[in-house]
Amino acid sequence: MLKQPLRILLACASTFGICQGLPSQLKLGGYQLGQVARVVEATLGKPYEERTTSDGWLIKAFWTSEKHEHLLIFEFAAPKKDRITAIQLFGKPTPGDGGLPGVTLGSTESEVFKALGPPKSKSKYLDDGTEYARLDYADRNYSLELNHEGLVVSIRILGFDGFSKEVPPLPTAEGLKKIMAKQDPAALEAMLTPDFEFYRGDNIISYNGPSEHEIRSNSKIKEAIYGPLGLNEALSRKDAQEDPQIRLSESGVFHVIKFPKSAVLNEIVFALFAGSWRIYEVSFKS
C-alpha cells in the first residue's frame, strides 16, 4: 500500500516556532513540481502501484532502485492530472538520492532541525501498529515523517506555499542573456518553467525526464539555448529589438516579448511560476 500523505491518529505532541530554515522547494528526486505527467513513466517505467483517490487525484509509485528500498510517489491533481502536483520520497531509513538539501531518508531528527529549522508542529500517528511522527513547517511546502527511531522515512513536497506572492519585475532579454552567460545548470533550470516548450520548425523541445538531469544532458535543450541561432545567439543579434506585451488567456497572465525584426526569433513567452517569471515558450522562426 502507498503511504498516505496524512494520517494523524494521536494528538499533536509539540509545537515549535516558525521555521527559519530551508525555503520551500520545487524539486525532489530530480523532478520538479509542474513537470508534465508523461515524463514520469517515460523515465521510471511501469509504476509499482497506481490508484485514484476519492477526490479524483491520480497517484503513481515507482521504485528508485533494484533493491526496492525507496519509492518515488507522484500525485496528479484532478481534473486534468497532466502536471506533477506533489512528490514524495518514501522508504527505508537508508540514504537515498534526491532528498531536500541537508536531509535525506535516514537523516536524524537533529539533522532535520539543523537543515530545515524547527517545525511548526510534530504530530504522532499509528500505521499498522507502528508509531510515526510527522513534521509540518509553517509557510513551507514540505513535510517529513520519522519512524520510531527518529529517522526520516518520508519527504514530501506539495504546492507552492512559501513562495512569494508578489509580482516581480518584468523580465527582459538582457536579463536572460546574463543568466545564460553563466552557463550554470541550476540557473538555467530556474530560468525555465518545468513544462516549458521551445518551438523550432516542426520540433517541440521540452523536458523528457527529471529536470535536473535534462538541463545538464539533453542535447536538444543545449542546442536550442547555446547552439547556432539558438536563444543566446538570437538575443545578441542587432535585430533582436524587443516589443513587450501582456497576453491574457484561460491559463493566466503571460508576459510576451515579440521580436518583429529578428530573423531568428518570433517571441518569448514568460509565465509566473513559484514567485518568479520563467520562460514558458520560445518560438523560433526556423
Side-chain angles (χ1 to χ4, degrees):
M1 289 292 294
L2 297 183
K3 193 169 188 64
Q4 295 293 330
L6 176 59
R7 284 190 289 178
I8 299 175
L9 303 184
L10 298 181
C12 180
S14 58
T15 301
F16 302 86
I18 294 177
C19 172
Q20 298 297 324
L22 187 71
S24 292
Q25 297 291 297
L26 288 173
K27 192 164 55 179
L28 189 62
Y31 295 84
Q32 282 195 76
L33 298 177
Q35 281 198 259
V36 295
R38 62 173 173 77
V39 305
V40 177
E41 288 191 42
T43 50
L44 296 176
K46 185 178 179 179
Y48 159 70
E49 187 171 348
E50 178 177 340
R51 65 183 173 88
T52 301
T53 65
S54 59
D55 54 356
W57 283 42
L58 177 63
I59 300 179
K60 296 184 178 184
F62 302 81
W63 294 113
T64 64
S65 70
E66 294 182 356
K67 293 183 178 180
H68 288 188
E69 292 183 332
H70 305 133
L71 284 168
L72 263 178
I73 303 169
F74 298 87
E75 300 175 47
F76 306 91
K80 290 187 176 181
K81 305 175 188 175
D82 60 350
R83 298 290 187 275
I84 298 173
T85 307
I87 309 172
Q88 182 180 7
L89 178 62
F90 168 72
K92 293 183 179 180
T94 53
D97 295 330
L100 302 178
V103 176
T104 187
L105 300 183
S107 293
T108 64
E109 187 172 45
S110 61
E111 289 172 335
V112 171
F113 285 17
K114 182 178 180 181
L116 308 183
K120 177 185 69 174
S121 64
K122 177 180 178 180
S123 310
K124 292 185 177 181
Y125 68 95
L126 295 175
D127 185 6
D128 292 333
T130 302
E131 184 176 287
Y132 293 90
R134 175 184 166 111
L135 306 180
D136 284 289
Y137 285 80
D139 299 320
R140 297 291 183 267
N141 71 338
Y142 49 75
S143 60
L144 296 89
E145 296 177 21
L146 289 71
N147 65 9
H148 67 283
E149 296 177 328
L151 302 177
V152 175
V153 293
S154 171
I155 303 169
R156 182 173 182 253
I157 59 174
L158 165 68
F160 301 97
D161 284 349
F163 293 99
S164 175
K165 300 296 191 295
E166 297 182 5
V167 178
L170 293 175
T172 63
E174 194 62 33
L176 290 182
K177 287 164 58 178
K178 290 180 180 179
I179 294 173
M180 290 185 288
K182 299 177 182 178
Q183 298 197 27
D184 174 28
L188 293 175
E189 191 178 15
M191 182 181 75
L192 306 169
T193 65
D195 57 348
F196 81 92
E197 291 181 332
F198 290 169
Y199 303 102
R200 171 164 270 167
D202 294 331
N203 296 318
I204 300 176
I205 302 165
S206 61
Y207 287 141
N208 295 313
S211 61
E212 185 175 272
H213 177 265
E214 288 280 291
I215 201 68
R216 296 174 183 273
S217 63
N218 188 314
S219 59
K220 292 183 178 180
I221 295 176
K222 289 183 177 181
E223 184 77 8
I225 295 176
Y226 292 113
L229 302 181
L231 183 60
N232 187 53
E233 180 180 321
L235 293 180
S236 300
R237 293 167 55 99
K238 292 182 179 180
D239 60 6
Q241 298 178 22
E242 303 174 45
D243 178 17
Q245 302 177 12
I246 294 294
R247 181 177 298 167
L248 303 177
S249 74
E250 293 181 356
S251 302
V253 180
F254 298 90
H255 176 60
V256 182
I257 301 178
K258 290 184 172 293
F259 298 88
K261 296 184 178 181
S262 174
V264 179
L265 277 178
N266 279 318
E267 64 181 22
I268 303 174
V269 181
F270 298 85
L272 267 177
F273 181 80
S276 65
W277 288 105
R278 297 187 179 205
I279 293 177
Y280 178 62
E281 293 177 354
V282 175
S283 175
F284 293 94
K285 290 183 177 177
S286 61

